[in-house]
């Protein structure tokens, strides 16, 4: 296991234990929120480190190909998000769909994120990106 993963796991465990201890000691709403955040962040660090270790082992996580795939996927996802925002504007203009601003922003964000994941998957399977 890489040292980076070990450090992240150790920090995650410390945050996890600190959050649990703070929850047991203090019963105030503010401290409860802080302890929940510490527990959540610690859990994310531990699980993330384990998943990254299982996925990459001792191989490098980034190289030129993965960076290029990421850039292309983000660029294509940006185009999909712009097209989706245009579609939402068109739907609103003709009163076909009524959405609040948070709903429109969240749907645009979700479509963009999903498009980025799909494009990364597609480009990884395709091989070389041109």
């Amino acid at each position: 296991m890489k040292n980076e993963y070990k450090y992240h796991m150790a920090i995650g465990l410390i945050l996890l234990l600190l959050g649990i201890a703070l929850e047991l000691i203090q019963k105030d709403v503010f401290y409860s929120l802080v302890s929940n955040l510490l527990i959540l962040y610690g859990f994310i660090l531990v699980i993330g480190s384990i998943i990254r270790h299982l996925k990459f082992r001792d191989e490098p996580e980034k190289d030129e190909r993965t960076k290029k795939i990421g850039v292309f996927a983000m660029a294509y996802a940006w185009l999909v998000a712009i097209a989706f925002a245009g579609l939402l504007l068109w739907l609103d203009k003709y009163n076909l769909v009524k959405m609040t601003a948070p709903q429109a922003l969240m749907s645009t964000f979700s479509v963009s994120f999903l498009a980025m994941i799909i494009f990364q998957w597609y480009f990884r399977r395709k091989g070389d990106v041109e």
Side-chain angles (χ1 to χ4, degrees), residues 7 10-11 14 16 19 21 37 45 47 57 66 69-71 73 75 91 93 96 98 106 110 125 129-130:
Y7 294 144
I11 292 170
I14 290 170
L16 195 64
L37 288 174
L45 278 174
I47 297 299
R57 301 282 177 189
T66 57
I69 286 173
V71 168
L91 290 172
K93 179 178 179 175
L96 297 173
K98 285 293 179 188
M106 194 61 203
S110 299
R125 292 191 54 133
V129 181
E130 301 267 344

Side-chain angles (χ1 to χ4, degrees), residues 32-33 36 39 57 59-60 64 78 80 91 106 111 117:
S32 178
L33 176 67
N36 286 337
I39 291 170
R57 301 282 177 189
E59 297 175 5
E64 293 81 15
W78 172 254
V80 169
L91 290 172
M106 194 61 203
V111 166
I117 290 172

Side-chain angles (χ1 to χ4, degrees), residues 38-100:
L38 287 174
I39 291 170
L40 177 66
Y41 193 63
F43 186 71
I44 289 172
L45 278 174
V46 170
I47 297 299
S49 300
I50 292 170
I51 290 172
R52 286 173 72 184
H53 170 68
L54 293 175
K55 184 176 180 180
F56 297 110
R57 301 282 177 189
D58 291 329
E59 297 175 5
E61 293 180 26
K62 291 183 183 178
D63 59 356
E64 293 81 15
R65 181 177 173 271
T66 57
K67 287 180 185 178
K68 191 174 182 181
I69 286 173
V71 168
F72 270 83
M74 283 189 273
Y76 281 41
W78 172 254
L79 293 174
V80 169
I82 294 297
F84 184 74
L87 175 69
L88 287 179
L89 287 171
W90 182 78
L91 290 172
D92 183 59
K93 179 178 179 175
Y94 293 109
N95 295 323
L96 297 173
V97 173
K98 285 293 179 188
M99 298 178 99
T100 64

Side-chain angles (χ1 to χ4, degrees), residues 20-33 35:
I20 292 170
L22 187 63
E23 183 69 32
L24 294 174
I25 294 171
Q26 294 289 336
K27 297 296 181 189
D28 190 19
V29 173
F30 174 74
Y31 290 111
S32 178
L33 176 67
S35 68

